[in-house]
Amino acid sequence: MNKGVGLMYGLALGGGGSRGSYEIGVLKALKEMNIEIGAITGTSIGAINGASFLMGDVNLVEEMWKSLSRDSLIKFKGISIPDIIRNRGFDFDLLYTLLQDYLVEELIRSSPIDLGIVTYNVTNKEPLVLFKDEIPEGKLIDYIAASANHPTFARLVIDGEEFIDGAVYDNIPIKPLYDKGFRDIIAVNLHTINDRKDLDGPYNLLQIEADGSLGSILFPDPPTIEKNILLGYLDTLKAFKKLHGNRYYFRSLDDFSLLSLLNAEEAKLLKEEMNPLFLNKTLDRYQRDALPEYSMILAALEITAEVLNIDNTRIYAHQGELLDEILTAVDEIIKGQRKPPLKEKVIFMNLEPAAFKALEITAPKLAIANLFLKILQKRMIGE
């Protein structure tokens, strides 16, 4: 038996073109965790992904995404600039045909999960937010396509009226879910220029977003798609406390002597070596633990791993496993078995105060990694 609206999540899927592969990872994780979704609202690629999810086979959706390439959505061959200007954008036929071939209106309508899409009626100069039961039979795929009609494409016409991508109005449609009665809302933010507004409101919001770049909006490529799906999956598990960390993912946070709280001498070293402004600004987005001193060490661990280009798309059993990867990388560099990029070599140097001050201004992550390795070395040799 389904729960009432107030006991289910509403899911808002943001627009972002090719970055939308990230949302497939989110949907996979939500399904795996049996998170009950009462309605999905989507803008642009979010509308497409939401509709795809309602068809009931998230693995099929994933395979569809993985089949895309740079030329899957925009036709470049044989097209001229005058053609683009005359048509007011690139040909929309490739994407429209893909949606007509792939999406099945009957399956979407029969799902117990509601679907809302956001588009903009250019003819009437008004935004439209439409749920399944508000869209005429036989027109559902057209309106999903209208939501994804990016301004670089020629306008999509439905019943004599022109439509454009809903991102020009609301790229992460939370309000329609709230208006439907949902108070627990999951929002997926793909970080386009339209996503900078504050998403907070009179509801419980769980925002899922990537820490790094998700790549191009218009040009999908298989490696980026695969990575984004994995990151969306991992970030969703982390949002629901199944994993821990920031840019890295840990099944648990265990006690390790090498990663224990800063002692007084180490705290003094940090304050003397690094300007608190640069230190705190860099560490802020990494510090999610209740204990500031502990999270500082964990943040420094992740930053050092990032500087050393250690894989952040796998699940580590605990932070000690990531530390092992760092120590292995350092050992390989010392033995000449691995050559770090020139700028990364600075993290191993014993810098003069003036040189370190310059480093913390120009590359604060390198400065933090330098200090972290110093602290680690002192702990290992018992100084």
Side-chain angles (χ1 to χ4, degrees):
M1 183 172 70
N2 285 335
K3 300 175 183 177
V5 165
L7 299 176
M8 293 188 288
Y9 281 99
L11 173 62
L13 297 176
S18 301
R19 297 176 186 175
S21 51
Y22 180 85
E23 293 176 338
I24 302 306
V26 174
L27 293 168
K28 282 183 65 178
L30 292 175
K31 186 175 179 65
E32 182 182 289
M33 291 186 290
N34 295 314
I35 303 299
E36 191 162 2
I37 305 296
I40 298 176
T41 52
T43 298
S44 194
I45 193 60
I48 296 173
N49 285 335
S52 302
F53 184 71
L54 265 61
M55 288 169 55
D57 190 346
V58 71
N59 293 322
L60 181 63
V61 183
E62 181 177 3
E63 290 310 310
M64 186 277 290
W65 265 99
K66 288 181 177 179
S67 72
L68 298 179
S69 65
R70 179 181 173 85
D71 300 321
S72 295
L73 304 181
I74 297 179
K75 188 188 297 180
F76 290 102
K77 191 174 181 180
I79 195 167
S80 65
I81 298 299
D83 287 335
I84 297 172
I85 295 172
R86 184 166 53 252
N87 295 326
R88 289 184 292 169
F90 290 103
D91 194 338
F92 191 57
D93 284 352
L94 282 177
L95 179 56
Y96 183 73
T97 301
L98 177 66
L99 296 181
Q100 289 287 349
D101 290 344
Y102 172 70
L103 296 177
V104 181
E105 179 166 341
E106 292 76 13
L107 288 177
I108 298 168
R109 287 191 183 276
S110 66
S111 171
I113 302 172
D114 203 357
L115 175 70
I117 64 98
V118 181
T119 186
Y120 189 87
N121 187 316
V122 178
T123 304
N124 298 331
K125 296 182 173 58
E126 64 176 1
L128 285 179
V129 180
L130 300 171
F131 282 85
K132 284 192 297 189
D133 60 358
E134 299 171 304
I135 298 173
E137 292 285 338
K139 297 288 186 180
L140 182 58
I141 311 306
D142 284 346
Y143 277 94
I144 292 168
S147 180
N149 186 242
H150 193 273
T152 56
F153 289 122
R155 298 288 73 78
L156 179 66
V157 179
I158 303 174
D159 297 331
E161 296 179 347
E162 293 187 345
F163 291 84
I164 195 173
D165 197 309
V168 300
Y169 170 65
D170 186 358
N171 201 42
I172 307 177
I174 293 174
K175 185 176 183 298
L177 292 169
Y178 180 80
D179 291 344
K180 279 275 185 179
F182 291 93
R183 296 298 177 262
D184 294 315
I185 295 174
I186 303 165
V188 184
N189 190 339
L190 300 178
H191 288 292
T192 70
I193 58 173
N194 297 319
D195 297 335
R196 293 174 182 167
K197 65 179 182 180
D198 186 0
L199 299 179
D200 290 334
Y203 39 75
N204 303 313
L205 179 66
L206 182 64
Q207 186 172 183
I208 300 174
E209 57 189 332
D211 187 60
S213 171
L214 294 174
S216 168
I217 290 176
L218 286 177
F219 305 113
D221 72 275
T224 303
I225 287 171
E226 197 152 344
K227 182 178 180 181
N228 286 350
I229 291 173
L230 178 56
L231 289 175
Y233 174 80
L234 294 173
D235 285 339
T236 305
L237 293 182
K238 187 166 60 180
F240 280 88
K241 310 300 183 186
K242 305 294 184 184
L243 296 175
H244 309 275
N246 189 318
R247 296 206 71 178
Y248 289 82
Y249 306 91
F250 310 107
R251 290 203 183 279
S252 65
L253 294 178
D254 299 337
D255 292 330
F256 291 91
S257 58
L258 286 176
L259 298 173
S260 59
L261 298 173
L262 292 175
N263 60 38
E265 185 182 339
E266 291 164 346
K268 182 182 177 185
L269 172 67
L270 274 180
K271 290 175 183 176
E272 289 176 350
E273 293 272 351
M274 196 160 186
N275 186 309
L277 176 66
F278 295 109
L279 179 66
N280 293 331
K281 187 175 180 182
T282 307
L283 291 179
D284 268 353
R285 65 191 181 90
Y286 289 84
Q287 291 181 310
R288 302 210 177 152
D289 220 73
L291 299 172
E293 299 89 349
Y294 180 78
S295 66
M296 183 179 289
I297 283 291
L298 183 57
L301 173 80
E302 292 199 40
I303 287 170
T304 304
E306 189 182 335
V307 167
L308 291 169
N309 294 315
I310 291 171
D311 185 12
N312 75 326
T313 60
R314 57 171 278 203
I315 299 175
Y316 294 87
H318 42 66
Q319 69 273 37
E321 192 173 356
L322 182 59
L323 177 60
D324 287 342
E325 292 289 331
I326 289 174
L327 294 177
T328 298
V330 170
D331 186 56
E332 289 173 352
I333 290 168
I334 291 171
K335 291 177 179 176
Q337 297 168 350
R338 171 177 168 180
K339 289 187 177 180
L342 185 61
K343 67 176 184 178
E344 271 75 32
K345 289 183 179 179
V346 74
I347 70 172
F348 300 102
M349 296 178 181
N350 209 359
L351 299 172
E352 294 294 326
F356 189 87
K357 292 297 179 189
L359 182 66
E360 71 176 6
I361 294 171
T362 57
K365 285 188 178 181
L366 295 182
I368 288 170
N370 179 284
L371 284 176
F372 177 73
L373 291 179
K374 278 183 185 176
I375 290 172
L376 208 56
Q377 182 182 35
K378 287 178 179 291
R379 288 183 172 189
M380 291 175 74
I381 62 178
E383 284 188 359

